């Protein structure tokens, strides 16, 4: 009996797929493989867990042992039936790079993940003026949801609304990044472990050549209406008016126009700096390269060179000062010997 049921269900499934194909409605099937490399820190691991909790259509795997043979991620994605790869690559226990790829044919985007200090405009659900928010986070650290202590919260497994900046449509490489980010962070309807709710917004803002990602909760609050009895009226009239106001408030609360909708940040927050875009998945020719990107290793090297330059300048100034004193004959040892004059003590009292 079970075999008959399976065969009938397969036939019905094929018929439904044909009907969907005839109707022209394409089902969104996205699944993300999330993993990291060796050498990630505690903050990197917690950030990965926060993103995994926000993506119910993702599959988390163990750490990847190699950092050079990244093409092995295509085999892992095929093994777990995933068509998107979200890979954290840690370097020197300080730098964190994010690889997002569309397996198995590509493209692939490599980005530097960090936090920066700047000003951002929060997205709004209506056409009102956005609020200006100051970000005072350290650029060398990655902050997780537990450290930020945001008041917002969302249901686990709910689907987000993706809000992209209009600048993403200005150039081809930004459109490629927008498409990849929408495939990874856009939870498809009816996916695994999803809830039929939409209660948070993910904002992708483009500023200073970087992608600023923020997560906000959609908070709905009813408007408070106070009903107080007017002086000079009887107690019964006041109670009747309060009951009438309460009933009108309960009937009007069903109207969506009577609710205040606001956005409360949940976290995590991070910034992505695009580096290169590859044509295929973790390989192939480079179709875009960010010439303005400076690696953190180069920045640290420049800082060390600057400190060493200050020390070298002080040492050279000391040598120059000693040479001048020697030329003037002011040094007790070394340098030019000062000639004895007629008024010298050693000549007068010889």
């Amino acid at each position: 009996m079970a075999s008959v049921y399976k065969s009938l269900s397969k036939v019905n499934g094929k018929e439904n797929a044909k009907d969907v194909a005839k109707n022209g409605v394409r089902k969104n099937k996205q699944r993300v493989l999330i993993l990291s490399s060796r050498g990630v820190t505690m903050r990197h691991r917690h950030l990965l867990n926060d993103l995994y909790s926000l993506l119910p259509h993702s599959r988390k795997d163990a750490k990847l042992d190699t950092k050079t043979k990244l093409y092995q991620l295509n085999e892992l994605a095929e093994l777990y039936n995933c068509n998107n790869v979200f890979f954290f690559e840690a370097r020197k226990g300080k730098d964190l790079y994010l690889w997002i790829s569309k397996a198995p044919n590509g493209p692939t985007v490599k980005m530097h993940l960090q936090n920066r200090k700047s000003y951002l405009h929060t997205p709004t659900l209506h056409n009102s003026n956005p609020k200006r928010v100051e970000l005072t986070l350290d650029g060398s650290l990655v902050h997780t949801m537990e450290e930020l202590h945001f008041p917002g919260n969302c249901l686990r497994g709910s689907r987000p609304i993706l809000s992209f900046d209009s600048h993403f449509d200005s150039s081809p490489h930004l459109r490629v990044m927008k498409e990849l980010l929408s495939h990874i962070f856009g939870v498809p309807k009816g996916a695994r472990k999803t809830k039929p709710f939409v209660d948070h917004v993910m904002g992708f803002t483009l500023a200073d050549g970087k992608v600023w990602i923020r997560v906000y909760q959609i908070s709905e609050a009813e408007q408070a209406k106070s009903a107080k009895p007017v002086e000079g009226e009887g107690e019964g009239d006041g109670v009747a008016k309060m009951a009438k106001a309460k009933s009108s408030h309960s009937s009007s609360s069903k109207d969506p126009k009577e609710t205040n909708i606001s956005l409360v940040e949940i976290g995590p927050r991070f910034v992505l700096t695009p580096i290169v875009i590859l044509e295929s998945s973790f390989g192939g020719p480079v179709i875009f390269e960010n010439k303005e990107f400076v690696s953190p290793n180069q920045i640290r090297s420049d800082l060390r060179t600057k400190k060493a330059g200050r020390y070298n300048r002080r040492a050279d100034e000391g040598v120059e000062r000693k040479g001048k004193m020697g030329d003037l004959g002011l040094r007790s040892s070394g340098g030019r010997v000062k000639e004895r004059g007629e008024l010298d003590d050693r000549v007068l009292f010889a």
Side-chain angles (χ1 to χ4, degrees), residues 8-271:
L8 291 176
S9 62
K10 288 182 180 179
V11 172
N12 294 332
K14 292 180 180 179
E15 291 178 355
N16 293 334
K18 291 180 181 179
D19 294 338
V20 170
K22 290 180 181 179
N23 296 332
V25 179
R26 182 175 175 273
K27 188 176 180 181
N28 184 17
K29 293 183 178 180
Q30 302 293 336
R31 201 170 181 201
V32 185
L33 176 64
I34 296 181
L35 72 165
S36 64
S37 65
R38 296 286 180 183
V40 291
T41 61
M42 177 267 298
R43 295 177 183 273
H44 300 164
R45 187 174 64 254
H46 283 215
L47 178 62
L48 187 67
N49 293 332
D50 294 340
L51 294 174
Y52 175 68
S53 63
L54 290 176
L55 303 176
H57 64 301
S58 60
R59 170 67 160 81
K60 189 177 179 182
D61 195 26
K63 297 178 181 179
L64 188 68
D65 292 331
T66 179
K67 292 183 181 180
T68 56
K69 302 177 182 179
L70 296 183
Y71 57 85
Q72 296 178 359
L73 293 171
N74 296 324
E75 301 177 2
L76 289 176
E78 184 180 1
L79 180 63
Y80 293 118
N81 195 20
C82 298
N83 54 358
N84 298 285
V85 180
F86 192 90
F87 178 63
F88 274 1
E89 181 185 3
R91 294 288 182 89
K92 297 185 177 181
K94 301 177 183 179
D95 307 327
L96 183 63
Y97 295 92
L98 173 62
W99 294 77
I100 55 176
S101 174
K102 191 72 179 176
N105 298 323
T108 304
V109 182
K110 180 184 179 182
M111 294 176 285
H112 181 222
L113 192 148
Q114 59 182 345
N115 281 321
R116 296 298 293 263
K117 177 180 178 181
S118 179
Y119 291 92
L120 275 185
H121 296 280
T122 59
T124 54
L125 298 180
H126 304 288
N127 293 328
S128 58
N129 295 327
K131 298 180 181 179
R132 195 184 187 207
V133 179
E134 182 180 0
L135 305 180
T136 57
L137 296 181
D138 189 4
S140 61
L141 298 177
V142 174
H143 297 270
T144 60
M145 296 173 65
E146 295 181 357
E147 296 175 340
L148 295 175
H149 299 292
F150 285 127
N153 196 3
C154 66
L155 184 66
R156 187 182 182 90
S158 60
R159 299 172 60 214
I161 297 175
L162 302 184
S163 174
F164 285 92
D165 193 358
S166 60
H167 294 88
F168 276 96
D169 298 327
S170 60
S171 59
H173 73 278
L174 293 177
R175 288 196 291 269
V176 171
M177 291 176 56
K178 177 182 177 181
E179 190 70 18
L180 284 174
L181 291 173
S182 61
H183 285 184
I184 289 178
F185 292 100
V187 180
K189 185 177 180 180
R192 184 179 67 96
K193 296 181 181 180
T194 56
K195 303 292 190 305
F197 303 104
V198 178
D199 59 353
H200 62 285
V201 180
M202 295 193 70
F204 300 86
T205 307
L206 192 66
D208 299 333
K210 299 175 178 59
V211 182
W212 305 69
I213 299 180
R214 301 290 182 265
V215 186
Y216 301 91
Q217 174 198 359
I218 303 175
S219 177
E220 298 182 4
E222 296 182 357
Q223 294 182 358
K225 293 184 178 180
S226 60
K228 298 182 180 179
V230 183
E231 294 182 359
E233 295 180 350
E235 185 179 355
D237 297 337
V239 172
K241 284 195 173 184
M242 289 184 67
K244 185 178 179 181
K246 185 176 180 181
S247 62
S248 64
H249 174 67
S250 61
S251 62
S252 64
S253 62
K254 298 179 182 178
D255 189 3
K257 297 181 180 179
E258 298 296 330
T259 59
N260 294 327
I261 300 178
S262 61
L263 297 179
V264 183
E265 189 168 358
I266 302 173
R269 49 164 57 172
F270 53 93
V271 183

Side-chain angles (χ1 to χ4, degrees), residues 97 109-112 273-277 288-291 293:
Y97 295 92
V109 182
K110 180 184 179 182
M111 294 176 285
H112 181 222
T273 305
I275 303 175
V276 292
I277 299 180
F288 170 76
E289 184 178 2
N290 187 6
K291 301 294 185 180
F293 175 74

Side-chain angles (χ1 to χ4, degrees), residues 278-348:
L278 306 178
E279 185 177 358
S280 60
S281 180
F282 297 101
V286 176
I287 60 178
F288 170 76
E289 184 178 2
N290 187 6
K291 301 294 185 180
E292 298 179 355
F293 175 74
V294 181
S295 66
N297 286 333
Q298 185 65 35
I299 295 175
R300 288 190 290 265
S301 177
D302 294 342
L303 291 176
R304 288 193 297 266
T305 305
K306 187 177 180 180
K307 291 181 180 179
R310 290 200 299 265
Y311 172 76
N312 293 333
R313 284 196 301 271
R314 289 197 300 268
D316 293 340
E317 290 174 359
V319 172
E320 185 179 359
R321 185 173 59 254
K322 290 181 180 179
K324 289 181 179 180
M325 293 177 65
D327 294 340
L328 296 174
L330 300 178
R331 294 188 60 184
S332 59
S333 60
R336 185 177 63 87
V337 179
K338 188 177 181 181
E339 297 179 358
R340 296 181 181 181
E342 297 179 356
L343 300 178
D344 188 79
D345 293 341
R346 287 173 292 182
V347 175
L348 293 177

